Amino acid sequence: MNEALPDVPEVRVVGLPQLTSGFDLVERLDLPMHLKVHGPLEPMGGEQLAKLSENINLKGRGGAGFPFHKKLRSVAEAAIKRGVRPVVVVNGSEDEPACRKDTVLINRAPHLILDGALLCAEALGARTLVVGVTRESTQRSMEAALAERGLSNGRRSALRARVQRNPVRMVTGAAASLIRSIDGGPAIPPGRKVSASQNGVGGAPTLLSNAETFAQLAIAARIGPERYGNTGLYDEPGTVMLTVSGAVARPMVIEVPTGVPLRYVLQLAGAPPVPQGVLTGGYHGKWIDAATVNEAVVSRNSLDAVGGSLGAGAILPITQETCPLGESLRVAQWLAEESAGQCGPCYLGLPAAARGMEDILNGGGPAALEALKQVAKNVKRRGACSHPDGSAMFLESTVKAFTDDLAAHVLGNGCGRPVEGVLPLFEGGKTPTGIPGGGESEENGPSRQKIYVDWTLCRGHGLCADILPEVFELGADGFPTVAQAQVPRYAEAKAIRAVRRCPALALRLEEDTKSSAPTRNNLPVLSQGPGRGRRAIGR
């Protein structure tokens, strides 16, 4: 079984180092060593900084790949229009088990990240800087870096700077989750689409990008766009940080110029000469096969063109000797566990998708395959954040990439290969809460309520799915796809509303006496159906 990656694995570089300059000298570049290695950095105006970002085609290195210059201009325009000070946020919440590049940068080169963030803060006139992290090591390193620069969160500080520590959860890294936690809420998405550039921390326009993005900006600001463009590809200049793990002899974080062949990166890490497949972009990414690996180079455009994904920079090969569907099932189960429990596509859809993959492996046949495809399709573009979309993309890519193995499991007795657990996962079984400290809050805890559909009364109006998407999803026939389901605690009020508003009076809500959750003394238990809407109060 593949053990979890350490916070700071082996670090390598192809060509001349940029982000990793000085790593051969010391384990961590404190401020004096940082200045010796990189030199001083002069301030830049807002438009000058935006033009620099545009000239080097800097895109967010956290997965989404949004152009940084557009984000910078959007924040500046919103701040000027509203007459408020913007906020700068560094997202160092690297919570995928297979990603360590930002963690390495925060632990070993924190001042390079701060250089980029402080450039932006000064250019925008920001008076607040927050660095979001999820690990003890990154918290220590970044707090030490702030102290080395004399930055604090004191009210009299010209720039109030602090570190926001959140739990290690997949959804914690979402921009909306980090902003919500900075404002004092739980580190989970708020359930609505909000642009941080317009309405972020405290309602102010917020420039939020991941740690590597700010570090890349700091390098470009020092050496200029022309020198920066001399490294890597013409349309994607510079270097990228990759985390290479899976079936490799030496898991590592590696800085490479764009344009380097992907097969060369795999060779450096000791991957098999002919891998069965390579997962690109991490657990919200896509699989490519061995033949495609030989065509791909390290760049966002190249990987997209061959059906892969640069994503968060995680590269994971697997050998010919392991079952790819079994390996993917482990990841699918972990992704389901990482749900924030806020919306039906995630809370119900991802576990259903994992069960669908398990059914295929257990001989469920073509029906199991079709069910998995349907569930993956249904969860996309319906969630409160991007977690359902990324998870569905991973599952669909698995089905598409390993057709021979899929046929062996669907039409035969399986592929006959073991599941070796080569894709790294965190030690598991934790219930996702998204609450700082990892404790379970009342809002996110289990419920004692179950909702039921009376099929003798249901007429397929579909109102229940509109009001309570956490529980109900409509099938192709327009009727709910479940007859009964546990109601998440945060959705209990919505469940009551769904029962009351059902036109056919086909829903009822009852206390689940088998649940281990504490009784909610103030929650009415509504019954509709045979009782025709009479309400019983459950104490």
Side-chain angles (χ1 to χ4, degrees):
M1 300 290 284
N2 199 335
E3 297 181 358
L5 294 174
D7 280 10
V8 183
E10 177 185 354
V11 179
R12 297 283 297 274
V13 61
V14 174
L16 296 175
Q18 291 188 357
L19 302 179
T20 57
S21 293
F23 281 23
D24 57 333
L25 303 174
V26 291
E27 284 299 308
R28 177 183 180 276
L29 280 75
D30 60 12
L31 185 57
M33 181 59 74
H34 167 75
L35 292 174
K36 285 180 182 179
V37 170
H38 292 285
L41 183 60
E42 296 297 322
M44 299 177 71
E47 184 55 29
Q48 185 183 7
L49 202 57
K51 285 182 178 178
L52 171 65
S53 304
E54 187 172 9
N55 288 339
I56 65 171
N57 196 21
L58 180 61
K59 295 182 178 179
R61 302 299 177 90
F66 190 80
F68 189 78
H69 70 93
K70 291 184 178 180
K71 190 180 293 187
L72 191 61
R73 288 191 172 106
S74 177
V75 171
E77 290 168 3
I80 292 170
K81 183 178 180 180
R82 293 170 52 189
V84 297
R85 294 277 189 181
V87 176
V88 175
V89 176
V90 177
N91 192 349
S93 308
E94 195 170 41
D95 302 316
E96 277 197 52
C99 294
R100 290 295 184 277
K101 66 182 183 67
D102 288 336
T103 302
V104 163
L105 286 174
I106 295 173
N107 273 286
R108 301 197 61 180
H111 289 285
L112 198 59
I113 299 164
L114 286 178
D115 278 348
L118 291 170
L119 267 180
C120 295
E122 184 161 351
L124 292 169
R127 292 294 179 262
T128 303
L129 168 65
V130 183
V131 182
V133 300
T134 55
R135 303 171 188 276
E136 183 179 352
S137 65
T138 50
Q139 180 181 6
R140 285 199 309 266
S141 180
M142 190 52 75
E143 286 180 343
L146 292 177
E148 288 163 9
R149 288 179 180 251
L151 296 171
S152 73
N153 196 33
R155 292 188 176 183
R156 296 184 179 180
S157 301
L159 175 71
R160 299 183 63 175
R162 68 181 180 89
V163 174
Q164 172 71 30
R165 171 86 180 272
N166 290 325
V168 179
R169 305 296 312 183
M170 185 73 165
V171 295
T172 301
S177 300
L178 179 53
I179 288 172
R180 191 177 183 187
S181 70
I182 293 170
D183 282 338
I188 53 179
R192 62 187 183 279
K193 305 292 184 182
V194 178
S195 169
S197 299
Q198 304 299 313
N199 187 8
V201 175
T206 298
L207 178 69
L208 185 149
S209 198
N210 92 307
E212 185 191 343
T213 312
F214 285 107
Q216 292 283 1
L217 183 66
I219 293 292
R222 278 187 168 88
I223 66 177
E226 185 174 344
R227 275 186 61 194
Y228 189 93
N230 289 337
T231 300
L233 298 170
Y234 173 77
D235 58 343
E236 291 183 56
T239 64
V240 295
M241 297 284 283
L242 303 174
T243 311
V244 187
S245 63
V248 296
R250 299 180 303 279
M252 62 177 60
V253 168
I254 181 168
E255 182 183 14
V256 301
T258 55
V260 168
L262 181 59
R263 65 178 180 275
Y264 179 67
V265 173
L266 293 171
Q267 288 170 4
L268 285 176
V274 184
Q276 182 175 190
V278 177
L279 180 59
T280 59
Y283 296 157
H284 279 177
K286 298 178 181 179
W287 290 98
I288 58 176
D289 59 27
T292 306
V293 169
N294 292 327
E295 303 173 22
V297 302
V298 176
S299 84
R300 189 175 300 277
N301 291 339
S302 172
L303 287 170
D304 286 346
V306 298
S309 170
L310 180 61
I315 306 294
L316 301 105
I318 61 172
T319 68
Q320 299 281 352
E321 287 72 41
T322 188
C323 173
L325 300 184
E327 297 291 343
S328 297
L329 171 61
R330 294 177 64 248
V331 175
Q333 290 170 334
W334 179 80
L335 289 169
E337 290 175 357
E338 289 297 294
S339 167
Q342 290 200 122
C343 61
C346 195
Y347 180 75
L348 298 172
L350 296 189
R355 289 193 298 270
M357 180 70 77
E358 190 172 17
D359 287 344
I360 291 173
L361 286 164
N362 291 335
L369 175 58
E370 288 306 312
L372 172 61
K373 290 180 177 179
Q374 187 63 43
V375 171
K377 178 181 178 181
N378 288 342
V379 303
K380 289 191 297 186
R381 294 180 294 277
R382 296 181 57 218
C385 69
S386 61
H387 183 52
D389 292 357
S391 302
M393 182 169 66
F394 166 78
L395 289 165
E396 290 176 335
S397 173
T398 301
V399 170
K400 183 179 179 181
F402 302 110
T403 52
D404 291 345
D405 294 87
L406 196 65
H409 284 281
V410 171
L411 303 176
N413 296 319
C415 67
R417 287 173 288 184
V419 178
E420 299 176 333
V422 297
L423 302 181
L425 295 173
F426 292 133
E427 292 301 322
K430 297 183 294 181
T431 301
T433 63
I435 303 300
E440 186 168 69
S441 76
E442 183 169 313
E443 178 185 2
N444 291 287
S447 170
R448 289 183 63 92
Q449 308 304 315
K450 292 189 78 171
I451 195 164
Y452 297 82
V453 179
D454 186 335
W455 295 119
T456 65
L457 297 173
C458 182
R459 295 293 179 266
H461 292 96
L463 193 61
C464 57
D466 290 336
I467 297 175
L468 195 61
E470 294 86 350
V471 172
F472 291 116
E473 181 179 308
L474 300 183
D477 57 0
F479 285 82
T481 56
V482 296
Q484 64 183 50
Q486 200 85 26
V487 178
R489 177 165 292 186
Y490 66 86
E492 286 176 339
K494 293 165 70 176
I496 295 173
R497 190 158 65 250
V499 171
R500 287 173 173 162
R501 294 183 60 183
C502 176
L505 306 179
L507 300 177
R508 73 180 189 275
L509 191 65
E510 295 183 358
E511 182 174 318
D512 181 9
T513 57
K514 296 181 181 180
S515 171
S516 60
T519 303
R520 299 287 296 277
N521 292 331
N522 61 345
L523 183 70
V525 178
L526 304 185
S527 178
Q528 289 192 4
R532 294 291 176 180
R534 291 180 302 182
R535 187 176 74 176
I537 305 296
R539 297 293 183 187

